[in-house]
Amino acid sequence: PKRRWLSPAIILIVATYTIILLITFLRQPLPRETTVVDPTNTPERFVPTRTASVQELAERVTAATETAIPIIIATPEPSLTPTSMPATPVIDELPDEGMFPDLARFGMTGGVDHAQMAYDAGLQFSQLLNWHVVVEPPQKAYYFWQMVRLEEDGIRDTNWEQLDEAIKANPGSRWLVGNEPDVKWQDNVTPERYAEIYHEVYSFIKERDPNAQLVIGGVSQSTPLRRAYLDIVLDTYQANYGESMPIDIWNVHAFTLREEAESWGVGIPPGMEGQTGILYEIEDHNDIEILRQNLIDFRLWMSERGYGDKPLVISEYGILMPEDYGFTTEVLGTFLTDSFDLFLTEANETGYAPDGNRLVQWWFWYIVYESEYYPTGSLYDVPEERFTPLGEIWIDYLEELSAN
C-alpha cells in the first residue's frame, strides 16, 4: 500500500512545540536539599528576633536606663521504701557568720565545672545552682542547691532511684521542685498538675530526710499573671490534700520579659487562658524600678496567702538580651550593682522578720559562663580562663562589701 507521510507543516509545528517544552523544563531550578529541623532543639524565645535596627534598639535601652519607668496525667507512685534519717541540724552555708550574713546571700547559676573554675580564680559567691540533681555536689565553701526538673508527666532528667541516692548522700539539702513551670519552653506544667507533682516530690524527700528544705519552683517573674498561676497551684493543693501547700522556702525569678502568646518573652502559662499579660518592651528588661516593684508585690502576695513568715530566694535573674540590643557592659554593670543594693536593703512589714524584714534572703545571677543562647551576663570566660568585664564589676562590689 502507498505510505502516507506527514506534511512538512505538521512536522514543523510538532518540532517547535517539543523545543518549547524542552526549554521550559531546562529553565526550572534544580531541587534544593531539604534541611530537617529537630523540634526538640528549638531555641527558647526569651529574646525577640531583631525587628528594629541595632542602633535604634541601643538608643531605646540607653533612654530607658537614663529615665527609669516605675508593672492530668498520673505519675507512677515512687516504689522505693524510705529510710528516715536521724534528726540533724539543717546545713548552713556559713554558720559562724550569723543567720544571713551579707556575703552568704550571693548565688551563681551555671555548670559545676565552670563555677569551680571561676571560684578558684577568685569569683566570690556562696550559693550555686545548676538545675540538676547531683549525688556528689562540689565540696567547696559555697552551698549547692539541688533541683528536680519537671514535666506534665512528672519528674524528668532524673529518676526516683537517683533522687533517693542524692537525698541520702546530702542530708539537710535545699531542693527546688521545678524550674519555671509557667514557661512552655522550660518545665511547662499546668498549675493543677504542678500541685500534684510537688506533693509527690515533697513527700518522697521529707520521708527520707525530715531536715531537707523544699523550695517551690520559681515562676519566671512576679506579675499578676504569674501570681494567678501560683494561686491556682495553692488552691489545687488545698483542695486535693486538705491542707496548705507546705513550702519551706519561697522562690521567684526576677526577669522582666514580655507576656504575650506566640511572641518573645515568657508567653502565657500553660493551662491558662488569654493572649496577653504585661507587654514589657526590650528597654524594660533592665529597669531596676520594675524589678523593685515586682519584688514588693510578690512579698505582699506571699503575706496575703499566709506565707509571710517564709524566707524568699530569687533563684534566677539577670540580663538575657544581647549586647548589640544596647545591653553593654556599662548598662549591665549598673543593673548588677543596683540590684545588689536593692536586695541587700529593701525591707518592709511584709519581709522576713528573722532577717530584719528584708524582702529577699538569697539571689542567683544568671550566669557564670554561657556561650550560645544568653552569653551577655557571663562573669567568667571559660575558654580564655579570665573574668569578663562584668565579672570584674562583681568582684569589685563584693570586695568592697567584705571590707565594710
Side-chain angles (χ1 to χ4, degrees):
K2 186 177 181 179
R3 296 176 182 266
R4 289 188 176 183
W5 298 96
L6 294 176
S7 68
I10 294 176
I11 293 174
L12 180 61
I13 293 172
V14 172
T16 303
Y17 183 71
T18 301
I19 292 171
I20 293 173
L21 289 177
L22 181 61
I23 293 173
T24 302
F25 174 78
L26 292 175
R27 293 180 64 184
Q28 294 295 320
L30 294 174
R32 297 180 179 178
E33 182 180 353
T34 302
T35 301
V36 178
V37 179
D38 183 354
T40 62
N41 292 330
T42 302
E44 299 168 356
R45 297 170 59 185
F46 293 126
V47 174
T49 303
R50 289 170 172 78
T51 57
S53 70
V54 171
Q55 181 63 32
E56 179 185 346
L57 290 169
E59 290 174 354
R60 286 162 58 184
V61 172
T62 302
T65 303
E66 293 173 351
T67 307
I69 303 174
I71 183 179
I72 304 181
I73 302 173
T75 298
E77 289 294 326
S79 58
L80 297 175
T81 302
T83 302
S84 296
M85 295 181 177
T88 56
V90 174
I91 295 175
D92 193 353
E93 58 278 10
L94 294 171
D96 59 337
E97 293 189 29
M99 185 171 185
F100 289 104
D102 286 345
L103 292 178
R105 303 174 186 272
F106 290 79
M108 184 62 57
T109 64
V112 169
D113 291 343
H114 297 162
Q116 289 196 29
M117 287 180 64
Y119 187 85
D120 292 341
L123 188 69
Q124 293 188 63
F125 57 90
S126 298
Q127 317 291 325
L128 178 63
L129 173 65
N130 81 334
W131 305 285
H132 293 290
V133 172
V134 179
V135 176
E136 297 182 2
Q139 300 298 314
K140 294 283 185 177
Y142 49 80
Y143 185 94
F144 185 82
W145 297 54
Q146 302 274 359
M147 178 183 285
V148 182
R149 297 300 301 271
L150 309 179
E151 59 186 1
E152 190 76 4
D153 289 345
I155 65 173
R156 67 177 175 93
D157 298 346
T158 188
N159 55 56
W160 296 108
E161 288 77 12
Q162 183 192 33
L163 186 55
D164 181 71
E165 183 181 3
I167 296 167
K168 293 175 180 177
N170 301 280
S173 290
R174 297 178 183 132
W175 293 87
L176 288 82
V177 185
N179 180 69
E180 295 184 353
D182 59 304
V183 179
K184 65 181 182 180
W185 35 81
Q186 288 293 326
D187 282 6
N188 190 28
V189 181
T190 59
E192 296 86 354
R193 188 72 184 106
Y194 181 85
E196 297 172 351
I197 301 172
Y198 182 92
H199 177 74
E200 294 170 357
V201 175
Y202 180 94
S203 301
F204 187 88
I205 294 176
K206 285 288 190 176
E207 286 173 355
R208 289 155 177 78
D209 181 11
N211 294 308
Q213 293 182 303
L214 273 290
V215 187
I216 190 170
V219 294
S220 54
Q221 53 194 9
S222 170
T223 60
L225 181 60
R226 262 59 199 182
R227 294 194 295 273
Y229 175 95
L230 291 173
D231 280 328
I232 298 174
V233 170
L234 298 181
D235 294 344
T236 300
Y237 196 99
Q238 179 72 47
N240 288 357
Y241 307 109
E243 63 178 355
S244 298
M245 191 167 171
I247 301 168
D248 296 316
I249 298 174
W250 265 91
N251 177 22
V252 68
H253 290 181
F255 292 108
T256 303
L257 295 163
R258 194 175 186 86
E259 295 178 321
E260 184 177 23
E262 305 305 323
S263 181
W264 67 273
V266 289
I268 305 301
M272 300 191 70
E273 299 179 352
Q275 294 296 309
T276 61
I278 296 183
L279 300 180
Y280 289 124
E281 299 293 349
I282 296 172
E283 56 266 32
D284 297 326
H285 190 55
N286 65 317
D287 191 317
I288 199 68
E289 292 305 321
I290 292 178
L291 175 59
R292 182 193 309 274
Q293 190 58 54
N294 284 347
L295 179 58
I296 292 171
D297 292 344
F298 195 79
R299 259 297 180 182
L300 177 60
W301 175 85
M302 282 178 57
S303 180
E304 292 172 344
R305 292 297 316 220
Y307 293 95
D309 61 342
K310 300 296 183 180
L312 174 64
V313 59
I314 295 175
S315 65
E316 194 177 322
Y317 86 107
I319 298 296
L320 304 180
M321 299 296 168
E323 182 177 0
D324 61 1
Y325 277 36
F327 292 87
T328 62
T329 298
E330 181 180 1
V331 170
L332 265 70
T334 298
F335 177 78
L336 182 77
T337 56
D338 285 352
S339 69
F340 290 167
D341 292 343
L342 168 64
F343 298 153
L344 285 167
T345 61
E346 194 72 24
N348 64 34
E349 66 278 3
T350 69
Y352 188 51
D355 190 26
N357 289 330
R358 295 196 212 192
L359 301 189
V360 59
Q361 280 60 63
W362 309 270
W363 47 89
F364 288 75
W365 178 258
Y366 182 90
I367 186 169
V368 61
Y369 171 72
E370 163 66 33
S371 61
E372 189 172 0
Y373 292 123
Y374 313 112
T376 316
S378 295
L379 301 179
Y380 188 75
D381 188 326
V382 170
E384 297 294 329
E385 298 186 9
R386 60 178 175 80
F387 296 112
T388 66
L390 186 63
E392 297 287 356
I393 295 174
W394 174 292
I395 291 172
D396 290 344
Y397 188 99
L398 265 70
E399 285 182 350
E400 183 176 351
L401 185 65
S402 300
N404 295 332

